[in-house]
Amino acid sequence: MKNILEKYIKSINSIFETGETTEHSFRGDLVTLLKDLRPKRIKNKQEIEIINEAKRKTYGAPDLEIRKGDVIISFIETKDIDDKDLRGINEKSHKEQFDRYKKAIDTIVFTDYLEFVLFEKGKETISVRIARHVGNSIVLTEDEEQIAKFGEIIKRLFEASPEPIRSAK
């Protein structure tokens, strides 16, 4: 896991150091990280797919959709590096969007690419910081507990139960 995270941090750091980035700049790197960590096949032999910018749903359009075959199992919503509201507390920031997602989606992660906050059934269950912004660089954590907790978040994203059907449409 640590080698894969080192590769991810090196990649986002090279972009970050330009000083010309937005929250969208790192999404490809996050997709690559998830693809590197996803199980190739799971119990019922359906592939795990990660879709960037999937079609809008009734509750909105989280940035990344994780599917098992044709079934949505979890989501990731990205924000810019060092975003201070990954829990959707600030009325002026992400509260309305995050509340809508937490109400409609059973398993979702909110991330600034360095910190990952997992919500399951609307409640925060795990948060982890795998790296820090230090000066003009991104530095991977040396904390093995944080890396292990990140692994648990990834496992839960890929093993989540399918999103329940909420309407005939």
Side-chain angles (χ1 to χ4, degrees):
M1 164 91 63
K2 191 165 184 178
N3 290 341
I4 293 171
L5 286 174
E6 286 170 346
K7 180 177 132 185
Y8 167 72
I9 296 303
K10 182 179 179 183
S11 184
I12 66 171
N13 189 53
S14 69
I15 300 167
F16 182 78
E17 286 179 336
T18 68
E20 296 294 323
T21 61
T22 69
E23 78 176 61
H24 304 285
S25 303
F26 311 103
R27 204 171 304 152
D29 294 300
L30 180 57
V31 169
T32 298
L33 172 67
L34 293 168
K35 286 182 176 183
D36 287 347
L37 294 173
R38 72 181 167 186
K40 296 301 179 215
R41 295 201 177 270
I42 52 176
K43 294 174 188 166
N44 63 3
K45 301 202 183 297
Q46 291 179 311
E47 293 286 333
I48 297 281
E49 291 298 332
I50 298 119
I51 300 172
N52 181 19
E53 295 288 332
K55 289 183 179 179
R56 180 169 290 280
K57 313 293 186 270
T58 57
Y59 45 79
D63 298 317
L64 300 177
E65 182 178 281
I66 300 174
R67 298 174 144 261
K68 185 181 346 176
D70 292 338
V71 180
I72 301 167
I73 58 173
S74 57
F75 294 90
I76 299 175
E77 176 65 23
T78 62
K79 296 300 176 193
D80 207 0
I81 287 179
D82 290 333
D83 189 288
K84 301 297 183 219
D85 193 28
L86 291 179
R87 287 163 179 83
I89 296 168
N90 188 337
E91 289 287 343
K92 294 179 182 174
S93 191
H94 314 304
K95 183 170 178 36
E96 186 277 328
Q97 177 191 36
F98 283 16
D99 285 351
R100 188 170 13 98
Y101 287 171
K102 287 184 275 188
K103 182 177 178 185
I105 298 169
D106 284 349
T107 306
I108 187 166
V109 166
F110 300 107
T111 185
D112 68 353
Y113 301 97
L114 311 180
E115 182 177 5
F116 295 78
V117 183
L118 174 66
F119 283 83
E120 295 172 297
K121 298 188 183 339
K123 304 288 182 207
E124 181 179 336
T125 54
I126 303 174
S127 67
V128 61
R129 178 168 286 282
I130 61 168
R132 295 212 178 277
H133 171 199
V134 179
N136 291 335
S137 297
I138 305 297
V139 179
L140 181 65
T141 185
E142 293 295 323
D143 186 338
E144 294 297 327
E145 184 178 327
Q146 292 293 296
I147 291 172
K149 285 171 67 176
F150 178 74
E152 181 61 26
I153 287 175
I154 296 302
K155 179 181 177 197
R156 290 187 187 195
L157 281 172
F158 290 143
E159 293 180 357
S161 297
E163 285 297 306
I165 296 170
R166 299 190 197 290
S167 74
K169 195 174 187 180

